[in-house]
Amino acid sequence: MADLSVTQEDVSVIRDILLREKSEGNPNPLLPADVDLDGDGTADSFGLDVNDQVIVVPGVRLENTLYESEGDDLNFKDES
Amino acid sequence: MSGYVYRDGARLTPYMLYQVERLNADLKRLFGVEVRVTYGIRLHQEQIDIFLQRYVTAANVRGRKVYDTRVWKGVRYYRISNAGTVAVPGYSDHEIQGTDSALDLRDTGRDAGIATMGSARSNWLRANCGKYDMVATGFQFGEAWHYKIRNIYKAVPGAPAGGGATTPPAAPKKRRKPMTTAVVYTNDEQDKNRSGAIVDLSNGVFEPFGWFPVSYADDLAQAYGATSAAKVTRAHYDALKSAAARRASLLGKVQVDINDEDVPKIGA
């Protein structure tokens, strides 16, 4: 179970993050509260309700959230 | 610990290197590419450093794109780097967890191959990683390059003695205490002193060591290699003495009958 505790400052920042994503065309942005703690590929996530207030959405698949992991620190380059 | 080895700048144990080289040989044979290790073992401070490179607190998000959050030491952190998620310090696979650690792998192919989810080489390694004592854990969080590796302190097969095995820092050896030996002392108190004896019933030993301060009981037990010091009634004390005498007789030992009163009072 992810730690879902948030301060008022967290709620404000999370809301800003999600509203910005929404304004950029993502109708239902979800921000992982933690990353796949139990290895099932899902994460409890923060989302917005119909009044744009921050809510918790449990068990969202990571690919349906804002989660990205590009691996650009892997220094991909053609050595062949 | 000492005994780390390095490949591609990544910190490994000899066993991790052994498995990487086995994988390398198979990748060369099957696909004509070589493996590269991007990350291996991270020390705790290194985990803290990389975590803080990618995560900031709420006050420092400042309008940047955020990819996930983590809670560390009671504070929520926000990932502002798309390079990849980073576990909270102390909980990363890359920090040694028991006898497990983690590897981030790519290969020398044009598309990084084994690091690219869904590619033929990635699918092959995902299916065969168990042959290299690896577990494909990264797929659960979108990082095809991340593999747990087990048994990292295992000796390298075929290595000369002492040349391939690493072990975690040895814990101090605990003194093995004979389980049959006990220190007993009576509950009849004389000036805060008690009468005590070493008892080893299986060997017919009952050896009074005289009066001693109660506060010494545990130290005395340790000094005599006993598991603990036990307070018993005078009747039980005498019964243990008789039992030890019977056992000594059965074993054909001659038990020297030392009267408690013959043993000098310590400190007297």
Side-chain angles (χ1 to χ4, degrees), chain B residues 95-101 152-153 168:
Chain B
E95 294 179 83
I96 294 172
Q97 307 286 352
T99 57
D100 296 340
S101 188
I152 63 170
Y153 298 118

Side-chain angles (χ1 to χ4, degrees), chain A residues 1-2 4 31-34 42-46 56-60:
Chain A
M1 178 76 183
L4 299 171
L31 179 64
D34 210 323
T42 70
D44 294 343
S45 302
F46 299 112
V56 172
V57 183
V60 184

Side-chain angles (χ1 to χ4, degrees), chain B residues 16 23 40 63 72 75 77-78 81 95 106 113 125-126 148 153 170 189 207 211 226 231 245 254 263:
Chain B
M16 292 167 75
L23 170 61
W72 182 39
V75 176
Y77 283 77
Y78 299 78
S81 163
E95 294 179 83
R106 64 180 178 90
L125 181 54
R126 188 176 186 177
K148 178 188 278 192
Y153 298 118
E189 187 175 306
E207 195 170 317
W211 297 93
K231 184 169 71 175
V254 177
V263 180

Side-chain angles (χ1 to χ4, degrees), chain B residues 61-198:
Chain B
V61 171
R62 295 173 188 155
R64 284 178 285 197
K65 188 170 174 61
V66 172
Y67 302 92
D68 63 61
T69 74
R70 303 250 191 195
V71 176
W72 182 39
K73 295 183 176 177
V75 176
R76 187 164 297 279
Y77 283 77
Y78 299 78
R79 178 159 65 92
I80 55 168
S81 163
N82 67 349
T85 192
V86 178
V88 169
Y91 295 89
S92 170
D93 283 351
H94 285 283
E95 294 179 83
I96 294 172
Q97 307 286 352
T99 57
D100 296 340
S101 188
L103 294 164
D104 288 350
L105 303 171
R106 64 180 178 90
D107 68 38
T108 55
R110 194 175 300 278
D111 59 356
I114 55 174
T116 304
M117 195 178 300
S119 73
R121 296 198 295 280
S122 173
N123 290 344
W124 173 83
L125 181 54
R126 188 176 186 177
N128 290 281
C129 59
K131 287 169 31 181
Y132 312 100
D133 236 348
M134 296 179 198
V135 183
T137 52
F139 291 87
Q140 293 149 354
F141 45 91
E143 296 189 350
W145 52 85
H146 180 93
Y147 285 81
K148 178 188 278 192
I149 179 164
R150 301 174 296 201
N151 304 310
I152 63 170
Y153 298 118
K154 200 171 173 181
V156 173
T166 53
T167 53
K173 282 187 179 174
K174 289 184 179 173
R175 200 172 138 204
R176 191 160 181 271
K177 295 170 179 172
M179 296 301 289
T180 54
T181 302
V183 164
V184 297
Y185 61 100
T186 62
N187 65 353
D188 51 340
E189 187 175 306
Q190 289 187 2
D191 300 328
K192 301 287 182 192
N193 292 328
R194 308 279 172 96
S195 176
I198 307 162

